[in-house]
Amino acid sequence: MKMKLLAIAVMATACGSSAFAAEVYNRGNTTLSIGGYVDVGVGEYDSSDEVEVHSVSPRINISGTQDLGNGVTVDAKGEWSLNYLDGGEQSFSTRLGYIGATHDQYGRLVAGTQWSPYYDVVGVTDLPIAFATDFIYDDYYFLGTARAERMVSYRNSLSLGDVGDLHIGLGWQGNHTEEVGDPVTTVEYHSRTQAALSFSIDMVTLGYAYNGGDVTRTEKVDQQSHAVSISAGEYGSGFYGAAVYAMNDYMNSGIEDTDALELLLAYGLGYGMNVIGNYEEVVDSDSENTQYSHAALQLEYTITPKFMGFAGYQFDAGNDIGEKEEDFWTIGARYFL
């Protein structure tokens, strides 16, 4: 069970490139690994109206594990975003930083900045390199919809034999204030809780997640989300399909009620080519106005195990409220450390 939980933790933090980390030390019951990747693309990307050289999400991480005996393994990880194109003043910024402990039977406990239990459920569509699930990244550090800042989480799995596997996750973030926006305003984030439940059988997984807590800007509101997901297959190897649907309160641009949807279909060909199509929309539930919607066609090609090429074109559906129609595209490469 311990190795299974550690494997789940690696899958939950796949965006941290744990699967591509290089082990630099292994002695006795202790390991140390360095991982991450750098990428670069050319195109009209990330709200840019001009063709330019850009990065997607480069990062570097250091992780270690130690077997304490009695079925307990402790692990720690630090991960930083890299800014290597602008020659900027801030070359590194924190993405992850946590300490975790995993037990054979009692599960996994993690404290620090980490991928959240909520993301375990909604992240099944957040897999393509170039264009993926945008709505979960609205104020995500403090709301815990993707990487969650200053969180304590617990996860465990229960094997039901031939029936399948049951996975549970719980998360908590404490009360704190932050200065955000332009002009800068002080926002109070009250304590937040999460609960995630998923069931897997063969290559199919069903999931549900709750994320909620009060946030005070000009007034106190309960920013919460109920999300469900389904995924089937293995991304990058044959067929993979996934869908996420979220019912949100004040989670997307402060709108009182929104419904968010992401659909992803991918097919990995035998020679390393992965063909991807995805669609996303966020709709104001009360007015039924579409806040934004877009579809993307993408290709990812594994040239070597540590070197990938990618290309994508994202089409604006054209029915957004108050937004001009924008299409984006990119072509680039990613090298895993």
Side-chain angles (χ1 to χ4, degrees), residues 125-209:
T125 55
D126 192 38
L127 300 178
I129 293 175
F131 304 108
T133 310
D134 290 335
F135 75 86
I136 60 176
Y137 288 97
D138 285 346
D139 205 11
Y140 59 96
Y141 269 120
F142 307 131
L143 299 181
T145 51
R147 295 187 300 278
E149 192 168 88
R150 288 174 275 189
M151 169 175 277
V152 177
S153 69
Y154 171 79
R155 293 174 173 88
N156 208 343
S157 295
L158 176 64
S159 175
L160 304 177
D162 294 337
V163 177
D165 296 309
L166 188 66
H167 312 290
I168 63 169
L170 301 171
W172 174 84
Q173 294 170 282
N175 184 80
H176 65 282
T177 58
E178 297 288 343
E179 293 185 344
V180 300
D182 185 17
V184 174
T185 58
T186 299
V187 179
E188 182 176 6
Y189 296 86
H190 304 267
S191 61
R192 302 188 64 79
T193 57
Q194 296 188 11
L197 181 68
S198 59
F199 175 76
S200 300
I201 181 169
D202 294 329
M203 300 293 285
V204 178
T205 300
L206 300 172
Y208 163 79

Side-chain angles (χ1 to χ4, degrees), residues 192 210-215 220-224 249-251:
R192 302 188 64 79
Y210 165 79
N211 178 338
D214 291 339
V215 176
K220 182 189 291 187
V221 297
D222 183 6
Q223 291 190 248
Q224 64 172 307
D249 293 343
Y250 299 101
M251 299 287 282

